[in-house]
Amino acid sequence: MTEQSLETRDMLLNVGPAHPAMHGIVRIITRLEAEVIREADVEIGYLHRGFEKMSEEVPFNGVIPYTDRLNYVSPLINNMGYCMAVEKLLGLTVPERCHYIRVLMSEISRVCDHLTCIGATAMELGAFTVFLYMIKAREFLWELVEEVTGARLTISYCRVGGVKADLPGDFAGRAQEAIRQTREVLKEVDKLLTRNRIFVDRMKATGKITQEEAVSYGITGPFLRSTGVSFDVRKAQPYAIYDRLKFEVPLGVHGDNLDRYYVRMEEMEQAMRMVEQCLAQMPPGPVGVSPETGEPIPAAEMVDKAKRGEIHSIAGRAAVTDPTLEGSGQSAHPAIGAAEKRVFLPPKEDTYGNIEGLMQHFKLVMFGHGIRPPKGEVYFPVEGANGELGFYVVSDGSDKAYRVRVRPPCFTIMAALPRLLQGDMMADVVPTFGSVNMIGGELDR
Amino acid sequence: MLPSQLCEALAARFPEAVLARHTYRNDATVTVRPEGLLAAARALKEDPLFQMNFLMDLTAVDYSAFGKRPPARGAFPSSGVEVRPEDGVPDEAPWPGPAVGERFEVVYHFFSWPLKHRLRLKVPVGEALPEVDSLTPLWAAANWFEREVWDMFGIRFRGHPNLKRILMYEEFAGHPLRKDYPVNKRQPLIGPVN
């Protein structure tokens, strides 16, 4: 054998854009020396849909369905972030119960997000059972979400100035049951993973990043906390009612994949505690139909009576429509939305039942009307499941935003991915990429 | 520090560079000249008064269409019904408005983890030579953020190590978030090069 045949050289290996071990479409170009990654380049943008451009073309409430599709694993947090940014622009306060509902729903979403992240990572490392268990737990929570919002994924639950509907009557009991079941699943997963030799070996000391680097890359959320920086928007600058909840911010030490797993596992427990506290603290909901409006009658019956001229029999009575969701009726309305008629849509009973409600509705949905915030610019950050999710909204005083910018939490983490992979083995791409929790929707917008 | 104190402190440090400042909705905002950006950013990062160790967000706004949106007043052609929207929600302390004259504004959002305060820095950029200094020597986060601003707005960053498109593909013509880029414009999709 000659010397020349033993010559070594670096190999360029292309991973993706579509690869079975990648949840999301992203391309990683690696330069390998044997199995060690010497250099990596990340190419994103495969899921670019023009979110920011579209937001300039639709009314303020019309952006909400687009925000669902940013982080499609925890859409409620996106909804909340966007709505709170616009509310800040409007200088609007929402009722306390609405804040509690939003926080409660975001914490449920956070659990869903972490369940998906850990489940997918474990599955890609071969632990398929864990994935199935965690998706089972997510199903318990998604059933709750479905009950409240009417949808499972693209929920569009928040409105500027409030939420779409109040919680259904027996929500607290069902939420506690779902939390109990989720905790059981987490206990099982903990047994399966935390001391699992294969899992720990692959997660430990891979994808390491130091505190200084993580801060310099602008990384936030569980990823940053795994390096030991206790930055959490909910603690640093509490919004909504987070200052009234007792929770801890779990921290890692090494900043590697295993610490990120620990942090996410503990954060789920903290989030569930917050849900319980919200349920306990939440101010009471609707008190039912007030006596002066009289007994409600179906809207169609009311119209018929009015046509026949039987005005006296319907005077002072409210119309009942058929709300698609439990808790979206008139009585729930004052508790879940701001008392600002220029912003928040009236309850459907009013829209169909009296002229004031109809006018208010049309004033908000008709062409050329809508929510018209003053000219201005605001930035509002919330703690998303992946880190700080910020909305920067500029308004020119019309019914559409002049500019909506979203600061996607996983964008900065993906920017650090080449650095994370450097020096690791090719096989470490899988756990590292899993713990980055790339969400194509918010990364590429 | 309170937002107003932050603005004052930065204005006192760089009296020539600071063009304007406001605390609309309690967001500390300072507008600086492009020449003063690097010095101001360095001071924000290194000065113990500010300690802005996070570059949270970096984006731009194209103000060329600001206030020029066709008014919604008019009549529906089919029915003749007049559309007359009201002025909207009033504002007690109005926003001073975007920087005058220049088309773009590059917007930086800083956050200080030790001191828990935020500051928004804005830099007006002209249309003729849309270029500002890159913050990549100070924050690694600036790398991808600046690539995105270049991609979406066509603003160049002096000293950026790798200023290429990030969300759109290389063959894409134009910069989609500029206000003169039509929202429904189609461009051919490019297949793999090889």
Side-chain angles (χ1 to χ4, degrees), chain A residues 104 108 137 139-148 167-182 275-276 279 326:
Chain A
L104 190 148
I108 289 178
E139 191 59 34
F140 298 141
L141 298 170
W142 272 14
E143 269 167 19
L144 280 184
V145 171
E146 191 181 356
E147 242 169 72
V148 178
L167 303 174
D170 50 349
F171 181 79
R174 287 195 219 177
Q176 268 146 4
E177 178 60 16
I179 287 175
R180 192 189 59 76
Q181 284 168 316
T182 310
V275 172
E276 286 169 341
L279 288 172
E326 248 182 287

Side-chain angles (χ1 to χ4, degrees), chain A residues 46 136 142 158 194 212 267-268 304 324 345 378 390-391 414:
Chain A
Y46 292 93
K136 180 179 77 179
W142 272 14
C158 287
T194 310
E212 291 73 35
E267 254 181 38
M268 281 192 269
D304 287 347
T324 42
L345 282 169
V378 289
F391 282 91
M414 284 299 283

